């Protein structure tokens, strides 16, 4: 029932995203733009060239960030883990700034977000002891979280240093750092859709292992779980999901944090059902935030990074207020 | 005999804890591993449960090196209850027990009638039916430990290893728990191996006792043969008189 509501919200978000904006497009024209495209109709052009790419970018980023948040919170056993806090977004940002600073790139620099996010995720995993097997030196939730927070701080200070030294880097960075879907048509949507899709498959594949890991490493291994393999799969999935999301939309705060908490309130306790709810919920919230940003002060628009953070913040405060002491959603 | 250690050396954090140990776990019996703190008894249990790989020698399960077998196949034969497992926030008793089915479930994790049967049998064996939908966090210490045992039971393994299962319980709950393990052994024929601290309880509720000292097996056998004044003096440096328990006639340790 609740899942049906989430899916209905996603469908509503998709329709509003295509229809609303500086130039409202009636539903009939949306269908015609897909089935019988007429290049002379401005409504069709808006749908084809702007709104469909924007919708695709929102789906990619919404799914990527939401599932990455679920995986990170499960593998670190820390309800505050998310791509932002664990340094993945900072890694992407650092790579973009470095691209502008050292290579003189501007528009193409958003591509660099992918290797930046991937390297940051891998570094957190390695610094957190994720590669070491055994009960002695392996990854623990606290160690992973500390590694992520430390790396995040380091990368942000490096970004500050670079943008202070070069004005062009600052210009690119300050637009990039607040995620946006407005440049979606210029982003590599198809490769990132495939990337995120692979991440989704890996996320679901790692779910039973994560359920076992939630009982502690020893209990998980006693249940026949290969803990190193589960963590490595999660790392790869997080890398692909976050990487895909930041390339199409830039870093979007709070989505990766708030969606897993909401999803756990709707889903049952298992990771697989949380993932299944987060899958439509992430893009539904991102689309709602994006549509809101487009209609609130026309003809200008608020960047989705801003509205998503505001919406996510409100959701998160409501969740926190409903929690009893000691409880984690 | 299904579970054996052959000439194992085990190092933990770079320190050699167990040296040249040979051991056979008797099938279908309740075995207690006892010994002073730091003697390597928990390390031995973890090594038998394949959590630690010996630096020398082998642990054999059904004649095969336990590290050569697929860990999932091992998990269908050998269950482990660690000393301090974590309960995921908000998880209910029934959900926790269901997680014990992990080694039996397919890749997509479909829940089968066999899973339901195993979960219900575990609930019944541990008398937790009425608490099935309660969150673990709402249970008392004794009930919580029974829930963890139930999870290990749902794993449906002929061999069950438990690392200090009575540690955080008061005496009546320790006795309850050890009686439960005895019942599981008698009624279901499971081989039960526990690391225990209390010598009197180990003597009273076990068929077979393994006394460890300094990373070696000092003595093993039925409690009445193993728990003697001289073993206690050697293993624990404890001067004690051992008298027969007035109820069960098992050895009772009275420190001097």
């Amino acid at each position: 029932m609740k899942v049906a509501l989430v899916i209905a919200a996603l469908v509503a978000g998709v329709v509003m995203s295509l229809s609303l904006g500086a130039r409202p497009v009636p539903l009939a024209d949306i269908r015609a733009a897909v089935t019988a495209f007429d290049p002379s109709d401005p409504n069709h052009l808006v749908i084809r060239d702007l709104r469909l790419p924007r919708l695709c970018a929102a789906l990619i980023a919404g799914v990527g960030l939401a599932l990455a948040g679920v995986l990170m919170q499960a593998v670190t056993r820390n309800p505050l883990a998310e791509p932002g806090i664990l340094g993945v977004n900072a890694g992407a940002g650092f790579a973009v700034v470095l691209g502008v600073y050292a290579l003189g790139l501007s528009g193409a620099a958003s591509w660099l977000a992918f290797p930046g996010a991937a390297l940051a995720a891998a570094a957190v995993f390695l610094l957190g002891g994720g590669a070491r097997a055994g009960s002695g030196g392996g990854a623990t939730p606290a160690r992973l979280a500390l590694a992520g927070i430390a790396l995040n701080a380091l990368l942000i200070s490096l970004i500050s240093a670079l943008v202070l030294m070069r004005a062009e880097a600052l210009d690119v960075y300050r637009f990039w750092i607040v995620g946006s879907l407005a440049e979606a048509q210029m982003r590599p949507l198809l490769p990132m859709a495939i990337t995120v899709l692979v991440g989704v498959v890996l996320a679901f594949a790692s779910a039973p292992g994560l359920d076992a890991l939630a009982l502690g490493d020893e209990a998980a291994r006693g249940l026949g779980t290969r803990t190193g393999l589960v963590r490595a799969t999660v790392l790869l999935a997080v890398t692909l999901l976050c990487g895909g999301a930041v390339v199409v939309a830039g870093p979007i705060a709070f989505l990766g944090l708030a969606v897993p908490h909401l999803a756990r309130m709707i889903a049952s306790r298992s990771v697989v059902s949380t993932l299944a709810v987060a899958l439509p919920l992430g893009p539904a919230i991102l689309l709602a935030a994006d549509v809101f940003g487009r209609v609130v002060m026309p003809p200008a628009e608020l960047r989705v990074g801003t509205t998503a953070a505001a919406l996510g913040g409100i959701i998160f405060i409501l969740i926190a207020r409903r929690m009893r002491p000691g409880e984690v959603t | 005999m299904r579970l054996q250690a052959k000439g194992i050396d085990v190092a933990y954090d770079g320190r050699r804890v167990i040296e040249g140990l040979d051991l056979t776990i008797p099938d279908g019996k309740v075995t207690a591993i006892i010994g002073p703190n730091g003697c390597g008894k928990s390390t031995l249990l973890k090594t038998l449960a394949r959590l630690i790989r010996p630096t020398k020698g082998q642990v054999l399960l059904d004649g095969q090196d336990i590290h050569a077998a697929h860990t999932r196949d091992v998990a269908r034969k050998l269950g482990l209850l660690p000393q301090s497992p974590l309960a995921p926030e908000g998880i209910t008793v029934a959900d926790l027990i269901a997680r014990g089915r992990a080694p039996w479930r397919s890749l997509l994790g479909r829940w089968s009638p066999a899973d339901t049967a195993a979960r219900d049998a575990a609930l019944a064996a541990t008398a937790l039916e009425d608490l099935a939908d309660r969150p673990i966090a709402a249970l008392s210490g004794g009930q919580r430990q029974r829930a963890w045992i139930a999870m290990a039971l749902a794993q449906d393994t002929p061999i069950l290893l438990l690392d200090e299962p009575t540690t955080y319980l008061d005496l009546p709950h320790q006795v309850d728990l050890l009686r439960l393990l005895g019942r599981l052994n008698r009624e279901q024929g499971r081989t039960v191996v526990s690391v225990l601290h209390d010598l009197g309880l180990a003597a009273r509720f076990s068929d077979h006792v393994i006394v460890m000292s300094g990373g070696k097996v000092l003595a093993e056998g039925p409690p009445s043969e193993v728990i003697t004044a001289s073993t206690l003096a050697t293993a624990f440096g404890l001067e004690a008189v051992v008298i027969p328990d007035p109820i069960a006639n098992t050895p009772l340790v009275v420190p001097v």
Side-chain angles (χ1 to χ4, degrees):
Chain A
M1 181 57 213
K2 284 173 172 171
V3 179
L5 272 178
V6 173
I7 292 171
L10 176 60
V11 172
V14 167
V15 173
M16 284 193 300
S17 167
L18 290 174
S19 164
L20 299 180
R23 181 190 189 91
V25 177
L27 289 181
D29 279 15
I30 296 173
R31 188 169 336 115
V34 179
T35 54
F37 180 58
D38 174 6
S40 64
D41 185 331
N43 277 354
H44 287 199
L45 284 174
V46 164
I47 294 292
R48 273 267 165 132
D49 294 345
L50 296 175
R51 300 229 177 121
L52 271 176
R54 189 170 188 147
L55 170 65
C56 293
L59 293 174
I60 293 168
V63 167
L65 292 171
L67 295 201
V70 172
L71 292 181
M72 285 177 141
Q73 291 179 12
V75 80
T76 60
R77 294 182 205 122
N78 185 331
L80 289 179
E82 60 118 11
I85 289 171
L86 290 191
V88 178
N89 287 345
F94 178 64
V96 168
V97 172
L98 197 64
V100 177
Y101 180 82
L103 306 174
L105 301 171
S106 54
S110 69
W111 262 103
L112 288 172
F114 193 93
L119 285 176
V124 168
F125 188 74
L126 294 175
L127 290 171
R132 272 171 290 176
S135 44
T140 62
R143 196 183 275 181
L144 272 174
L146 279 176
I149 289 163
L151 186 74
N152 195 36
L154 174 70
L155 287 169
I156 286 174
S157 69
L158 289 175
I159 290 170
S160 306
L162 287 181
V163 299
L164 287 175
M165 284 191 284
R166 179 81 55 95
E168 303 96 280
L170 178 60
D171 283 341
V172 172
Y173 179 71
R174 69 195 177 97
F175 279 102
W176 186 84
I177 190 63
V178 180
S180 172
L181 296 167
E183 298 92 40
Q185 72 280 5
M186 298 184 305
R187 303 286 167 88
L189 293 178
L190 186 62
M192 291 305 119
I194 294 167
T195 303
V196 166
L197 194 65
V198 174
V200 170
V201 172
L202 289 175
F204 278 92
S206 67
L210 283 171
D211 276 333
L213 266 184
L215 306 171
D217 275 44
E218 290 189 350
R221 292 172 67 203
L223 288 169
T225 306
R226 291 199 275 171
T227 52
L229 181 67
V230 172
R231 287 203 169 92
T233 309
V234 167
L235 169 72
L236 185 57
V238 164
T239 304
L240 297 176
L241 292 166
C242 291
V246 290
V247 169
V248 300
I252 291 173
F254 256 122
L255 200 70
L257 185 60
V259 170
H261 284 265
L262 262 183
R264 273 193 296 274
M265 294 172 81
I266 296 168
S268 69
R269 283 288 142 196
S270 70
V271 172
V272 75
S273 68
T274 308
L275 286 172
V277 173
L279 192 67
L281 188 59
I285 291 179
L286 191 60
L287 283 170
D290 187 41
V291 169
F292 179 75
R294 271 191 266 165
V295 299
V296 69
M297 47 175 211
E301 63 175 60
L302 284 172
R303 295 170 77 86
V304 71
T306 313
T307 49
L311 193 60
I314 293 167
I315 292 171
F316 206 71
I317 290 167
L318 291 177
I319 294 171
R321 284 186 55 86
R322 279 188 46 169
M323 276 163 71
R324 287 183 294 277
E327 184 197 35
V328 177
T329 59
Chain B
M1 295 297 159
R2 304 190 65 175
L3 187 60
Q4 293 175 299
K6 288 245 187 282
I8 54 169
D9 283 7
V10 185
Y12 197 76
D13 283 341
R15 194 169 57 90
R16 176 123 42 110
V17 180
I18 291 174
E19 219 182 320
L21 184 142
D22 286 297
L23 187 68
T24 299
I25 300 295
D27 288 342
K29 294 216 158 120
V30 177
T31 297
I33 303 175
I34 60 173
N37 292 331
C39 71
K41 55 190 189 300
S42 272
T43 302
L44 171 63
L45 194 87
K46 286 178 193 167
T47 309
L48 292 174
R50 62 146 163 22
L51 296 189
I52 304 175
R53 189 189 283 269
T55 50
K56 220 178 89 190
Q58 287 180 320
V59 171
L60 301 178
L61 178 63
D62 291 335
Q64 190 192 11
D65 183 344
I66 201 163
H67 285 281
H70 197 296
T71 183
R72 205 174 148 92
D73 295 331
V74 174
R76 293 179 177 194
K77 295 176 179 172
L78 184 149
L80 167 75
L81 180 57
Q83 193 175 351
S84 13
L86 305 171
E89 298 285 346
I91 196 169
T92 61
V93 172
D95 281 350
L96 182 73
I97 297 172
R99 298 215 175 168
R101 297 301 295 164
W104 298 96
R105 294 173 73 180
S106 62
L107 183 66
L108 293 172
R110 282 271 144 238
W111 186 254
S112 73
D115 294 329
T116 307
R119 184 194 61 198
D120 293 349
L123 276 169
T126 50
L128 286 170
E129 293 112 319
D130 295 341
L131 303 175
D133 296 323
R134 287 270 201 97
I136 291 289
L139 303 184
S140 72
Q143 291 167 337
R144 203 171 302 167
Q145 194 63 340
R146 286 211 318 266
W148 282 109
I149 302 243
M151 188 194 88
L153 288 182
Q155 199 176 334
D156 206 11
T157 57
I159 304 170
L160 202 52
L161 306 182
L162 304 102
D163 195 357
E164 304 200 12
T166 57
T167 298
Y168 300 109
L169 303 178
D170 59 24
L171 185 61
H173 284 107
Q174 292 187 36
V175 172
D176 270 356
L177 192 102
L178 292 168
R179 288 210 163 112
L180 167 64
L181 295 178
R183 263 203 315 280
L184 296 171
N185 164 255
R186 282 192 310 278
E187 291 168 9
Q188 306 182 358
R190 301 201 201 223
T191 302
V192 177
V193 184
S194 323
V195 170
L196 293 179
H197 264 299
D198 190 302
L199 302 175
L201 293 176
R204 175 83 186 262
F205 293 102
S206 314
D207 307 311
H208 189 83
V209 173
I210 296 166
V211 185
M212 286 199 64
S213 173
K216 295 195 159 96
V217 173
L218 183 71
E220 62 170 320
S224 54
E225 292 171 22
V226 170
I227 299 184
T228 61
S230 75
T231 340
L232 295 176
T234 319
F236 293 88
L238 174 77
E239 206 184 321
V241 176
V242 177
I243 57 169
D245 174 322
I247 304 293
N249 210 29
T250 51
L252 185 66
V253 177
V254 184
V256 174

